[in-house]
Amino acid sequence: MARIIAVANQKGGVGKTTTAVNLAAALAAAKRKVLLVDFDPQGNATMASGVDKRMAKPNGCEVLLDEAPIEQAIVRTEANYDLLPGNGDLTAAELKLMDAIARESRLKEQLAKVAHRYDTILIDCPPSLHLLTLNALTAANGLLIPVQCEYFALEGLSSLLDTVKAVRQRLNPALEIEGLLRTMYDVRNNLGNEVSAQLTHHFGDKVLRSIIPRNVRLAEAPSHGQPIHLYDRSSRGAIAYIGLAGEMIRRERGHVAAAVHEHAGGVVAVALHDDTDETLDDIVDIHQE
């Protein structure tokens, strides 16, 4: 069964969509079965995946309103991950669902129909904490928060964490913070280093070791409808997302091992780590080809 991870931050311009697309591609390159859900009405993840958001019919809107089967809406991308496209129709879907029963659980119900096909499902959320994001958080096991290393990085995080707390209490007790990802990082910038230190101080091991640097090639890739490892696999951005995929795989193994330990008294939990190095070697090999 897939681990579902929402990629969210209500602050725009922090590399949320860039992270969702390139993490999906890096995980797919590591032979993971991945579904990327574009749940942002801007449809940027759809376009960055090489799919024309204007021609994507059916899409996430019809799926959310139960007007089309999710299986018919999912498309295959050049980077070997599946995509549930999104576009401006999602705004209309959000409005139509305002008075619907169990409106926060619509996405969860739809993803349950295909979750058995995938190892990982990533949801690219809109830069807000409205109904679409609540749907994503209700469906997700984990929340990945991209944080730009700048002055206002911590601003709004408290609101997001308050929302997570409320979702846990009312809708999804299993939701946990997958990690905080430092993005657009420049080691030459003293302010960036200070913000990074603050994040580590406040959130400890919830801050991922992987860091996404500022990278021109990473910024150019979406305009070509390609993830970075297809556009320029030797760039610093591509290498960074390969590293992030490896870290996410290790964390996923940890979640599975913990669950097995809990249910089986720890007898077989260690066995689940046996193929971790092999999976990470696959990532390195793919990059070096």
Side-chain angles (χ1 to χ4, degrees), residues 6 8 129 132-140 143 160 163-164 167 172 175:
L129 296 178
L132 293 175
T133 301
L134 286 178
N135 262 267
L137 296 180
T138 301
L143 171 62
L160 179 58
T163 300
V164 171
V167 169
N172 183 8
L175 179 64

Side-chain angles (χ1 to χ4, degrees), residues 11-19 146-150 181-187 189 192 211-215 218-219 236 241:
K11 187 177 185 301
V14 298
K16 176 182 55 62
T17 296
T18 298
T19 293
V147 181
Q148 186 177 357
C149 291
E150 62 169 19
L181 175 67
R182 290 162 288 181
T183 61
M184 304 181 187
Y185 190 77
D186 187 347
V187 294
N189 188 323
I211 297 176
I212 309 303
R214 284 193 177 275
N215 182 239
L218 196 57
R236 290 191 304 134
Y241 277 109

Side-chain angles (χ1 to χ4, degrees), residues 65-82:
L65 297 175
D66 211 15
E67 295 176 353
I70 187 171
E71 296 87 350
Q72 290 185 10
I74 291 173
V75 297
R76 190 70 168 172
T77 68
E78 183 185 2
N80 294 321
Y81 59 85
D82 287 351

Side-chain angles (χ1 to χ4, degrees), residues 36-56:
L36 173 61
V37 178
D38 187 354
F39 223 45
D40 187 341
Q42 297 178 78
N44 291 337
T46 298
M47 298 294 284
S49 298
V51 176
D52 189 341
K53 64 182 180 181
R54 296 162 297 185
M55 304 298 293

